[in-house]
Amino acid sequence: MASPATADTSSLQQKLRIDQEALLLMLSYIEAECARLGAREAAHHAALAAALLPQAGSWNASMPALPQ
């Protein structure tokens, strides 16, 4: 059975992953809308911001250790 600290850490990591995925979706939407409106430079900046986010499979490895 997992300890309460492990469960809290796992829950927090899941929340962080969900937040990161939501940010990626929002930035993708902003990029697409900027491109649709002809704001190419703004679309490029949104794409760059999205590229700075950790990738879904590796986000755990790039996150700092959570306090115990």
Side-chain angles (χ1 to χ4, degrees), residues 37-63:
L37 295 170
R40 300 284 177 209
E41 190 171 337
H44 180 69
H45 284 286
L48 291 174
L52 291 174
L53 292 174
Q55 298 302 311
S58 64
W59 82 275
N60 257 351
S62 64
M63 295 295 291

Side-chain angles (χ1 to χ4, degrees), residues 27-39 43:
L27 287 169
S28 298
Y29 172 77
I30 291 167
E31 177 188 2
E33 283 300 300
C34 288
R36 185 182 68 81
L37 295 170

Side-chain angles (χ1 to χ4, degrees), residues 25 42 50:
L25 286 173

Side-chain angles (χ1 to χ4, degrees), residues 3 8-9 18 23 28-29 36-37 39 42 46-47 49 57 64 66:
S3 70
D8 289 343
T9 301
I18 291 168
L23 282 171
S28 298
Y29 172 77
R36 185 182 68 81
L37 295 170
L66 297 173

